[in-house]
Amino acid sequence: MSILEKDLTVKKATREAFGDEIVKLGKENKNIYVIDVDIAKSCKTVNFIKQLPDQHINVGIAEQNAAGLAAGLATTGKIPFVSTYAVFGSLRMLEQIRQEVCYPNLNVKIACSHGGLTPANDGGSHQAIEDMGVLRSVPNMTVIMGADYYSTRKLVEQAAKMYGPVYLRFTRDTVPIIYDENEEFTIGKAKKIKDGSEIAIIANGDTVRLALEATKELEKQGISVKLLDMHTIKPLDREAVVDCLNIGKIITVEDHNILNGLGSAVCEVVAEEGKGKVRRIGVQDQFGQSAPYEKLLELNGITVENIIKTAKELI
């Protein structure tokens, strides 16, 4: 069965994928540590604590201290995963990530739940809309967000095996399971869900399911769509973007500020190549508010309907 034919009613938050995968990885490799900041229940590291207590450290509500501790552990050969909310893992810890993790290029992973608008009713203070953009501008940092439960598990596994700083972003809310359990993913290489000839849609994270639904409808209307899951924002798969320029019309879709996220990264490549058109769908450079997740997406035009409308306008 192709992905386009799959039933997308089965849902699971990608923070659950991290919680399940990190236990598996910790059992396989005793150098893997989890550093918590008193929100293990929300970040889904509770089972890690129960099953691997000797590989767990809780520093309390002290994210900057967690980053410094992770850097120290990394110098001893450990592979620390700092587990927190995306707003804290990208902004409160930024100076420590830059100076103590990325500058010396240490093997630290920042694993963050509550990415984008998915905190929903928690309000704008807890909705990380700028995190991937902030951290993709820091040298040596890899930035990743899986689209569903299974892709996230595979990407967490790869992050643990690669050397260097990695930012992993997860959803608080549930999202549809798109991929099969045995699907393979490579950090830095876009996942081509479908090939097409009239419009290219490049999506990331929890918006891949919206791009997928839009693709189905556009195909029904006779419009040929190329669909990419750009799970790695940095390093961006430049080759995949350049290949889309054979079509010449690209839509990017993301649950992130349209500034400095996926859309900006794609636009940089397109501008350097000197051809093609891009339309960015994402958070419209505004803070979120306390509202249901789907309503917040709608307020920013991150909808199936807007993807379809934008595609038709480009064509």
Side-chain angles (χ1 to χ4, degrees):
M1 180 188 296
S2 75
I3 292 176
L4 291 174
E5 298 171 319
K6 284 193 70 172
D7 176 10
L8 299 183
T9 58
V10 179
K11 299 181 179 182
K12 210 167 186 180
T14 60
R15 60 175 170 161
E16 299 275 3
F18 170 66
D20 292 342
E21 186 63 25
I22 199 65
V23 171
K24 171 180 169 287
L25 295 172
K27 288 179 178 179
E28 294 171 350
N29 185 347
K30 295 303 180 182
N31 283 323
I32 288 178
Y33 275 62
V34 166
I35 302 173
D36 271 314
V37 291
D38 249 7
I39 45 176
K41 185 176 180 181
S42 291
C43 293
K44 302 304 178 183
T45 55
V46 172
N47 284 337
F48 190 96
I49 297 169
K50 291 177 180 177
Q51 297 184 48
L52 299 163
D54 292 340
Q55 292 165 246
H56 173 262
I57 302 170
N58 182 10
V59 299
I61 306 171
E63 289 83 359
Q64 293 162 323
N65 186 32
L69 174 60
L73 285 172
T75 64
T76 69
K78 306 301 182 186
I79 307 170
F81 280 74
V82 179
S83 178
T84 184
Y85 293 161
V87 285
F88 304 141
S90 60
L91 300 175
R92 184 175 293 176
M93 290 166 51
L94 181 58
E95 182 182 356
Q96 285 71 31
I97 290 172
R98 182 187 188 275
Q99 298 296 102
E100 299 175 24
V101 174
C102 289
Y103 185 59
N105 195 29
L106 295 177
N107 196 23
V108 173
K109 320 302 174 184
I110 313 296
C112 292
S113 179
H114 293 52
L117 297 170
T118 66
N121 292 328
D122 289 347
S125 63
H126 279 60
Q127 294 157 8
I129 60 166
E130 60 283 282
D131 53 326
M132 292 193 291
V134 167
L135 290 176
R136 86 176 183 97
S137 67
V138 181
N140 293 327
M141 179 63 81
T142 295
V143 180
I144 299 168
M145 185 178 189
D148 76 343
Y149 178 84
Y150 289 120
S151 63
T152 299
R153 286 198 67 160
K154 291 292 179 70
L155 291 164
V156 169
E157 178 185 33
Q158 287 198 23
K161 292 178 179 178
M162 69 168 278
Y163 184 88
V166 180
Y167 179 68
L168 293 152
R169 188 200 213 209
F170 313 125
T171 65
R172 177 188 183 275
D173 279 23
T174 60
V175 290
I177 293 179
I178 296 170
Y179 298 106
D180 292 330
E181 186 176 0
N182 59 357
E183 197 79 40
E184 293 301 323
F185 295 84
T186 302
I187 291 174
K189 297 295 291 184
K191 187 72 173 179
K192 183 162 68 175
I193 295 175
K194 184 188 173 298
D195 213 346
S197 60
E198 292 182 85
I199 190 81
I201 302 176
I202 304 175
N204 167 264
D206 50 306
T207 67
V208 172
R209 50 104 182 184
L210 300 174
L212 187 55
E213 293 286 2
T215 296
K216 292 179 185 178
E217 183 57 36
L218 287 166
E219 290 283 335
K220 286 179 185 176
Q221 296 180 27
I223 297 171
S224 178
V225 180
K226 179 173 188 171
L227 177 59
L228 299 180
D229 172 359
M230 193 67 77
H231 49 74
T232 307
I233 300 295
K234 182 189 177 186
L236 190 75
D237 187 346
R238 185 184 183 93
E239 183 180 345
V241 176
V242 170
D243 190 52
C244 290
L245 294 178
N246 294 325
I247 298 172
K249 302 175 184 70
I250 301 171
I251 298 171
T252 61
V253 191
E254 60 192 315
D255 180 2
H256 186 278
N257 196 334
I258 57 170
L259 302 179
N260 204 23
L262 172 65
S264 291
V266 169
C267 284
E268 289 161 14
V269 174
V270 173
E272 287 165 359
E273 292 294 317
K275 58 180 180 180
K277 293 181 179 180
V278 181
R279 295 291 183 271
R280 295 172 295 164
I281 292 175
V283 178
Q284 298 297 300
D285 194 26
Q286 60 186 351
F287 288 107
Q289 51 190 294
S290 182
Y293 168 56
E294 296 291 343
K295 180 64 175 178
L296 292 170
L297 292 177
E298 182 184 337
L299 288 172
N300 286 277
I302 310 171
T303 63
V304 172
E305 294 75 17
N306 192 37
I307 297 170
I308 294 169
K309 175 177 175 286
T310 304
K312 289 180 175 179
E313 288 173 354
L314 270 176
I315 292 171

